[in-house]
Amino acid sequence: MVQLSKKSYHFLLYILATVLCFTTGFSYAQTAKGTVKGKVLTADGKPADNISITLKATPYGTITNEDGDFSIKAPEGNYTLMASSVGKEKKQIDVTITSGKTVTIPSFAINGSSATLGEISISTAKINRFKRKKSVDVAKMPLNNLENPQSYTTIGQEVLTEQAIYTVDDAVKNAAGITKLWNATSRAGDGGAYYTLRGFPVQSTLRNGLSGNVSTTIDDANLEKIEIIRGPSGTLYGSSLVSYGGLINRVTKKPFDTAAGEVSYTFGSYNYNRASIDYNTPLDSGKKALLRINSAYNTANTFQDNGFSHNFAFDPSFTYKINDRMTLNLEAEINQGKSSIAPIFYFGSTIADLGATNANQLNIDYKRAYQSNDLATSSTNVNFFGQLEYKISDQWKSSTNISSTNSDGSGPGPYFYLLAGNNSIQRNVWNVAGHQNTLQVQQNFNGDFKIGSMRNRLVAGLDFLNQSQSIRYQDPNSGSDLFDVINLKGPIPGYNNFNKNRVDSLFQNLPSTNSYSRNNTYTYSAYVSDVLNITDNLLAMASLRVDHFVTKPINDPTTDLTTTSFNQTTLSPKFGLVYQVIKNKVSLFGNYMNGFSNPGYYLTYDATSNSNVSKLFKSEQANQWEGGVKVDIFDGKLSGTISYYDISVKNKIRADAQHANANVQDGTQYSKGVEVELIANPLPGFNIIAGYAHNNSLMAKSGDYDNGRRPQTAGPPNSANFWASYTITKGDVRGLGIGFGGNYASNNYIINNSYNGKFFLPEYTVFNTGVFYNKEKYRFGLNVNNLTNKEYFVGYTTVSPQMLRQILASVAFRF
């Protein structure tokens, strides 16, 4: 039984009431109407999707689907049909609609590419512009949402622009069931933010379906959309880059064949400044060579007395159409930054000795950083991507992909321990320096063909992934990273002592201990997935992956010890069914999905020798059963997904209660839940995103430490998100709009074990709002984040204060 607090209950009622209040807008009279249908093509004869189709001077409109098709119902009469999109010419056609009849107009072309700069033309305010119907990455093949037996969320640039969001960290708040656990630290390898999804920690490590790690706060300058793909997806994505809860895939902007650009500037609270450019141009008269450059520079302080960040992103992309069959795509993602690490509070005592059971009871001064402004970490990410697409025939396509990512980070890492009595903290520091590299080569063959009367959409792929990492952790004072102990509040004489000069002196004058984290792994994989149309309404998906994991031996120079290498082969299946109760409108779906990991060697008790021996444990397995319903109704004005999932993890390693320092591999973990998402356009110019998620996670069989408890990293059991915006679509001030929304998270037990006790981060509701004025050539915006100045916390067995009220003003010009 789902238990909701009073605040979460009210917040959920608020979302539902708002959606239901405006669903009357869906009830356009269906009597005395006719239909006009057609298809829009690009200049080179390809289907043009996401083209705005409106009946001029009326509220009736839609957008073309992935096949370029559209359909509009309207009262009988004579109209001017207008097709338009940014970066293309406007096309107008006279049509006559007759009551009760359907008129199909001939296919027509509209000049330009289907790619755009992501800006919103005024005409698109009449459509469900927050919706994305199709993905090529979720199933590694072009597949409509209603055809996919897996649940996922797509967050497009339209939402990010309205909300003045410039990072992936903030963008994910628009998806149900994903919440932040940990702020980005800019450390090499794992320095990006952590989130929780379906009860499991996850990071943003994928870009266009390939490895694309960025070990700091990820700028969204080059992003077209973000996909939150739910559930263990080992069958198509392997084990090294994803979580059992799902994955975050960043989809980048692509060059197109029209010269266009946008420059923007944003400024606001805490000395926030951001300048960005998006420039696209053909490089030759034949428009075969296309270049697009996205770049941004950010600088800001924090809401606390100390803290800052500087970040530069440069993301060029190049497309060359070699011939009618072959296209080369090259992209780079270059990011350089320097920032202080936001305060992270660990627990230096049991909860009973601490004297506080939740973050609101702590004596932390919310606006103090407890560290100097010069304790900063520098990070560099240089990622390169290449793709060669080749059209073998009308039914088959080849795609050869290469991804190379390189991240470096170095600098002092300050953090704090909350001490018994709740009046003081222990300030700690270590130096962290290192790098992480990945190389991924992936070959996919995609087919779309029929066997008899049954359509098959198939992907067969080969994948190679090499990951290497070398990080040094340097602790002062013979392994103790204690700097000092200070009071949390009141006069703190030594408050400013925690600075770079004193930290450098500490490392120079005291003995230090170096520890290393090194790995070098290779993964060789092959997979195949087929979506079969058994009937026009019934689809089945069957997928299988074979994954061979190899880890190379690594020598530690400080001890001259070498790790044990091993290799392991795992099979990962996936099955799914979709039944479209109403074709292209309502789908019932279900899936079985698998994820896995390779734990390696552990000590375990051997009865024969009566001693502990090192043993290679088998792969850990996560299996999910999921079912639900997807809708895209009222001429696309309401789309959504309701799903229930059940994930069970087996072969988890736990401490052997019978033998000291030994382990057994019979642990289990469960994660079950419900997710609801709605994207609606009930009235012209009015758009809504709403979501709710409940998760029930349990360590069903584990050590005494956490057996029978909710995992400490599972995140809040209940969460909700909401955003509604209205844009005036007619008159002298058309393009003027306002948006309002927020996020809710329930109590989150970040300490939940038999040793320390129980400690939670209190539930919170954070509201955001914004006003904007959007025209074809310019845009102005004013946004207020955390409108009520709410003090709230996130944590990954830790406590981290989050941003207070922030006001941002932005201006953009397009050319």
Side-chain angles (χ1 to χ4, degrees), residues 164-186:
I165 287 176
Y166 304 114
T167 69
V168 173
D169 298 28
D170 293 329
V172 299
K173 69 183 182 182
N174 290 287
I178 182 169
T179 56
K180 185 193 291 187
L181 294 177
W182 177 278
N183 296 324
T185 61
S186 300

Side-chain angles (χ1 to χ4, degrees), residues 12 111 128 170 218 353 446 477 534 645 656 671 782 794-795:
L12 184 57
N111 289 341
N128 196 353
D170 293 329
I218 304 175
D353 291 339
N446 286 87
N477 199 18
I534 300 173
Y645 61 88
D656 187 344
S671 182
L782 181 66
V794 301

Side-chain angles (χ1 to χ4, degrees), residues 213-452:
N213 185 55
V214 175
S215 59
T216 186
T217 299
I218 304 175
D219 197 288
D220 68 2
N222 68 331
L223 295 189
E224 179 63 32
K225 58 184 179 180
I226 300 167
E227 295 175 332
I228 311 298
I229 305 173
R230 296 182 173 86
S233 300
T235 308
L236 292 180
Y237 288 94
S239 64
S240 301
L241 301 171
V242 303
S243 158
Y244 294 153
L247 60 98
I248 302 169
N249 181 45
R250 311 189 309 274
V251 181
T252 59
K253 301 173 182 176
K254 303 296 188 292
F256 54 96
D257 58 9
T258 304
E262 177 182 282
V263 292
S264 66
Y265 175 65
T266 303
F267 64 96
S269 306
Y270 316 118
N271 291 323
Y272 184 91
N273 288 274
R274 173 187 172 86
S276 68
I277 184 170
D278 183 353
Y279 177 67
N280 184 88
T281 183
L283 297 178
D284 64 329
S285 59
K287 299 185 177 181
K288 290 186 175 182
L290 311 173
L291 175 68
R292 188 168 187 175
I293 296 175
N294 286 275
S295 185
Y297 178 72
N298 299 270
T299 179
N301 295 333
T302 73
F303 64 94
Q304 294 169 324
D305 56 356
N306 287 313
F308 75 95
S309 66
H310 303 313
N311 186 75
F312 174 69
F314 180 67
D315 306 315
S317 55
F318 173 76
T319 293
Y320 183 65
K321 300 177 183 178
I322 300 172
N323 54 45
D324 291 342
R325 291 180 175 269
M326 187 177 296
T327 301
L328 174 67
N329 299 299
L330 300 174
E331 300 184 28
E333 195 171 52
I334 301 169
N335 186 288
Q336 189 169 34
K338 186 174 184 179
S339 61
S340 54
I341 297 176
I344 305 171
F345 296 91
Y346 291 83
F347 292 83
S349 73
T350 65
I351 303 306
D353 291 339
L354 179 65
T357 59
N358 70 79
N360 285 344
Q361 296 174 353
L362 295 174
N363 283 324
I364 294 173
D365 188 328
Y366 199 87
K367 294 184 179 180
R368 280 183 174 174
Y370 296 102
Q371 59 184 299
S372 172
N373 213 40
D374 58 5
L375 289 178
T377 298
S378 298
S379 65
T380 301
N381 294 267
V382 181
N383 302 337
F384 296 102
F385 308 87
Q387 181 187 64
L388 184 65
E389 293 183 301
Y390 180 69
K391 183 180 179 181
I392 301 171
S393 68
D394 290 340
Q395 289 78 38
W396 288 94
K397 183 184 76 171
S398 167
S399 177
T400 305
N401 306 277
I402 298 177
S403 168
S404 172
T405 71
N406 308 271
S407 63
D408 292 272
S410 62
Y415 59 99
F416 314 109
Y417 277 110
L418 298 163
L419 300 180
N422 192 21
N423 291 311
S424 59
I425 55 171
Q426 174 181 310
R427 298 197 289 192
N428 303 67
V429 65
W430 58 0
N431 268 332
V432 183
H435 63 268
Q436 182 189 58
N437 303 315
T438 70
L439 173 65
Q440 185 173 16
V441 181
Q442 189 175 103
Q443 171 63 51
N444 289 318
F445 294 98
N446 286 87
D448 189 341
F449 56 91
K450 285 188 176 182
I451 299 179

Side-chain angles (χ1 to χ4, degrees), residues 28-29 33 53-62 72-75 79 82 97 126-127 635 637 684:
Y28 297 123
K33 285 187 177 181
I53 307 295
T54 59
L55 299 181
K56 198 171 180 179
T58 77
Y60 302 106
T62 185
I72 300 176
K73 288 184 178 181
Y79 299 92
M82 185 169 69
I97 295 178
K126 299 177 182 178
I127 60 176
D635 292 329
K637 294 181 175 65

Side-chain angles (χ1 to χ4, degrees), residues 10 111 146 206 224 297 318 372 501 615 650 719 725:
H10 287 165
N111 289 341
L146 291 180
L206 289 166
E224 179 63 32
Y297 178 72
F318 173 76
S372 172
N501 285 336
K615 177 184 177 181
K650 63 179 183 178
S719 60
S725 71

